[in-house]
Amino acid sequence: MKTIEPQQLLEQLNWRYATKQFDAGRKIPADQWAAIEEALVLSPSSLGLQAWAFVVVQDPAVREELKAASYGQSQITDASHLVVFTARTDVTPSDVDQYMDRIAKVRGVSPDSLAGFRGMIEGSVLQARDTAGRAAWTSRQVYIPLGVLLTSAALMGLDACPMEGFDPAAYDRILGLAEKGLTAVAVATVGYRSTEDGYAALPKVRYAKQDVVLHV
Ligand SMILES: Cc1cc2nc3c(=O)[nH]c(=O)nc-3n(C[C@H](O)[C@H](O)[C@H](O)COP(=O)(O)O)c2cc1C
């Protein structure tokens, strides 16, 4: 197994920053972008349920509309790639069926052998939470792939900006998400920093490790 050294990891995490200004002329090569999409798919989720979809928006006209719904933030149109992290607005018994079918197919087991697991999902997701509780739960899940993307991009030398500064209802309308049972939660813009972006040189503002990493 090929691993990276701790120092290399920290160098890349110190190198990354929430990019404010992208170089609009530079595009991420297809093989690197394909790896980012694969990294999103590989993200872990609670119970493995994957109650999400990642919407990659490359249409410039749609990106202009999204920018207007994002307080005019230039990253939305200037970054090479844009991903909208969406969560399922609800989890239904048919979603659980679909997940069970997928496990049965991938692992070559009978759906009946998954009855115990299905019961656990039904109890903890469908019965123990109401619709609003489930929506809050699925929304939280998408921050994991967002984090995976940020770290993966940094390790590949790609710049990114995580973004919550947008109007989710407008995104849902522009991207037709409601009819797909999805809602926009967060955005990541990915590409290459502009040499004009002064934020790149600012020291990171973080609390001291001993104040946030507690050892018991
Ligand atoms: C969930 C989330 C939402 C954010 N939303 C925005 C945003 O809308 N626009 C922006 O420029 N930066 C946004 N940021 C970037 C943060 O301000 C930035 O990550 C933080 O100040 C730490 O700085 P650094 O990432 O450069 O180290 C967001 C970050 C996170 C994690």
Side-chain angles (χ1 to χ4, degrees):
M1 186 177 38
K2 226 159 107 187
T3 59
I4 66 165
E5 295 298 320
Q7 188 199 343
Q8 220 183 334
L9 171 69
L10 295 180
E11 266 174 25
Q12 288 314 108
L13 292 179
N14 274 299
W15 171 84
R16 73 144 293 281
Y17 75 110
T19 305
K20 304 289 176 197
Q21 240 181 300
F22 282 91
D23 180 340
R26 289 187 71 190
K27 296 286 168 228
I28 298 171
D31 61 332
Q32 289 198 348
W33 185 254
I36 291 282
E37 290 189 358
E38 202 63 42
L40 292 173
V41 173
L42 288 170
S43 299
S45 58
S46 188
L47 299 160
L49 214 50
Q50 307 158 74
W52 56 38
F54 312 109
V55 183
V56 180
V57 185
Q58 291 306 92
D59 183 326
V62 176
R63 299 242 314 232
E64 280 296 341
E65 275 190 78
L66 295 178
K67 179 179 170 180
S70 312
Y71 306 98
Q73 297 189 81
S74 67
Q75 298 101 314
I76 301 292
T77 46
D78 291 351
S80 168
H81 285 68
L82 178 147
V83 186
V84 182
F85 291 77
T86 75
R88 297 208 64 80
T89 44
D90 202 357
V91 179
T92 64
S94 85
D95 292 319
V96 182
D97 286 343
Q98 192 190 348
Y99 180 41
M100 293 300 113
D101 290 347
R102 184 72 179 161
I103 301 174
K105 184 167 174 235
V106 170
R107 296 206 165 144
V109 296
S110 77
D112 290 350
S113 71
L114 300 168
F117 185 41
R118 169 197 286 275
M120 199 178 108
I121 296 177
E122 284 174 349
S124 61
V125 181
L126 302 183
Q127 285 146 26
R129 296 168 203 267
D130 59 12
T131 308
R134 274 192 298 278
W137 181 76
T138 57
S139 296
R140 285 198 298 275
Q141 301 290 320
V142 305
Y143 287 90
I144 296 167
L146 175 63
V148 168
L149 179 146
L150 295 175
T151 305
S152 304
L155 291 175
M156 289 201 289
L158 300 174
D159 286 298
C161 188
M163 303 176 78
E164 270 183 334
F166 65 90
D167 175 355
Y171 267 55
D172 290 356
R173 182 179 48 73
I174 294 164
L175 299 172
L177 295 175
E179 47 267 42
K180 297 187 174 82
L182 298 167
T183 186
V185 176
V187 165
T189 45
V190 194
Y192 299 93
R193 65 188 69 177
S194 158
T195 50
E196 321 262 280
D197 191 354
Y199 283 89
L202 293 179
K204 282 213 174 293
V205 179
R206 296 293 192 269
Y207 292 119
K209 189 166 81 170
Q210 67 268 21
D211 293 336
V212 291
V213 182
L214 311 180
H215 295 264
V216 178

